[in-house]
Amino acid sequence: MASAKCPTRHHQRSRTTLAVAIISALCFSTALPKCIGLAPPPSALSTRPSSTWHSHSRYSSRSSSPSTRLHSNNNNNGGNNAFDISKPTFDLFSFRLIRSDALLRYNNLNQSEPLRINLFILATITLLGYPLWCESVTGDVATTTSLIGSTVSGVGSAALFWRERTRRSNQLNRMEKELNAERLEVRIPVNTAISSARPMARLKDLRSKRRILAIRGSKEQLSGSVFNTLCILRRRLIQSQTLVVLVPTDGSKKEDWGWDTTKLGSALWSAEALNVDGEGGWIDYFSDLLGNDDGGGGGSSNNDDKLAWFALNFKGRSIASGLGEAPRVLELLGQQLQPMELLDDTDEAELLEDGSAAKQVLDCQKKFYSVLTDSSDESEMQSIFTTHPAEEVNEVVEGGGRIDAWTQCLEPDARPAGMVISGSDAWVASDTLAYSTCIEFPSNSFMDGATLLAVQRWGRDAAGDGEWK
């Protein structure tokens, strides 16, 4: 009887092992979702020389070398016979359609997470199915203790699987939202002295060429401090190759925010948002970004009434965002939007305005740095410095900072002797309020070529009569 029973048990174990292997193979085959239709047939590949001008955008270049082009077999890409890697693909774990390029980016950036997901789901199926294969594999009937243990372990594995699956879905959702921004359209600023035509471009066309800072809000939210801060740091935004896109939710225009062409000139830092409130436009994108399903800017969600913003790097990936508070542009310029242009201590000051107010502000700035770096006389600093409180300074003090007296700051071992400034500019906000910026080059820096972006606020009592301090 024993010799007759062994083959039967052997066959049962083989079938069970085969079933587990099939389950494992099925799980691992769904670990890396495939992009349906991403591999064109050999006949779809064609090599041909190209020596013509490509006029898709102003950033195109001339090519005279042979190029290999991919052609898709469908006409769902607008009929231009182009390869569409953004085609949605059904993802089993998320149980919805996801952009193929989002899946490709996720798989390239995450190697261990898909493995953990498959291990947890395999462990869940194996442990919860313990009563089915216990006798055929082990030869013993499952006991109550083993059943409880396998069930608890299976539930634990299922919980871990769901946690990893949720993290994966959230990460894919974030990647999809980043990639969906490529369809947004803007009008690119140009130097008005050369051309008055402003070309249109999608954010996808601006990758590796421009950073993006998009701000959505009403007339009251975009004007005032937000627009004033952008005007103050306009030259620094150009140096960092950043385009600012203001998206109004109430149909307001740039003139309503305080735009003055005579003071801003060509404004190479400001791009005009196109298709603001249309289908798939800027407002729809912000609503989707904030998780609103009602679409448009007039939904019932409270987020539709708040100021919102996001920033993209050269690769089109999100580097910062916010809701309800204006972006801290000065901090962004020092961290994520650092200058791309070469900064030199011989850069000249920029004076866009013809009025004398801006020139007076720059003269006061020169005097301030002259006293700061070369003098120990506190009285000289008092003639151009005032103790009027500033919100930015108060925030630092409330956070644990302190303000030292000028007698201490101007001591020979304390003052930044030998520091030079360059690239100064000024922004006159009103007859009694102005700002100036410059790039500082410390002489005692531990890093070669280290620079600091400095901003000064100036005010005077009487319009046009008092001195700037």
Side-chain angles (χ1 to χ4, degrees), residues 431-454:
D431 293 335
T432 59
L433 181 63
Y435 295 85
S436 63
T437 70
C438 65
I439 303 297
E440 298 179 348
F441 293 81
S443 60
N444 57 350
S445 174
F446 296 102
M447 294 171 32
D448 293 336
T451 59
L452 298 173
L453 171 58

Side-chain angles (χ1 to χ4, degrees), residues 370-418:
S370 176
V371 176
L372 180 64
T373 58
D374 299 331
S375 176
S376 299
D377 190 355
E378 180 184 0
S379 61
E380 294 184 11
M381 182 63 73
Q382 295 297 341
S383 62
I384 56 175
F385 184 81
T386 179
T387 57
H388 187 76
E391 181 180 351
E392 296 80 4
V393 177
N394 292 339
E395 184 177 353
V396 174
V397 174
E398 292 174 359
R402 68 178 186 182
I403 300 177
D404 294 330
W406 282 115
T407 53
Q408 298 174 330
C409 296
L410 296 179
E411 292 180 356
D413 295 335
R415 67 171 182 260

Side-chain angles (χ1 to χ4, degrees), residues 247-364:
V247 182
T249 58
D250 52 3
S252 58
K253 304 296 182 181
K254 60 182 182 180
E255 291 79 12
D256 301 326
W257 312 327
W259 187 278
D260 189 348
T261 305
T262 59
K263 298 171 62 176
L264 293 173
S266 300
L268 299 178
W269 53 271
S270 176
E272 179 185 356
L274 300 178
N275 189 26
V276 175
D277 53 359
E279 183 178 357
W282 283 92
I283 294 182
D284 279 352
Y285 177 76
F286 269 101
S287 297
D288 179 66
L289 198 64
L290 299 174
N292 302 334
D293 297 328
D294 50 341
S300 58
S301 174
N302 293 331
N303 291 338
D304 290 332
D305 300 327
K306 296 179 180 179
L307 184 142
W309 62 274
F310 66 87
L312 304 177
N313 61 12
F314 286 113
K315 295 183 179 180
R317 298 182 181 178
S318 176
I319 52 177
S321 61
L323 177 65
E325 294 184 359
R328 297 175 179 264
V329 184
L330 187 61
E331 294 182 7
L332 290 176
L333 290 172
Q335 298 176 3
Q336 291 90 356
L337 303 178
Q338 295 182 355
M340 299 301 298
E341 295 183 4
L342 180 63
L343 302 179
D344 192 78
D345 56 5
T346 59
D347 292 339
E348 297 181 355
E350 183 181 84
L351 190 62
L352 293 179
E353 302 180 58
D354 297 332
S356 60
K359 188 177 183 304
Q360 292 174 2
V361 171
L362 292 182
D363 291 340
C364 292

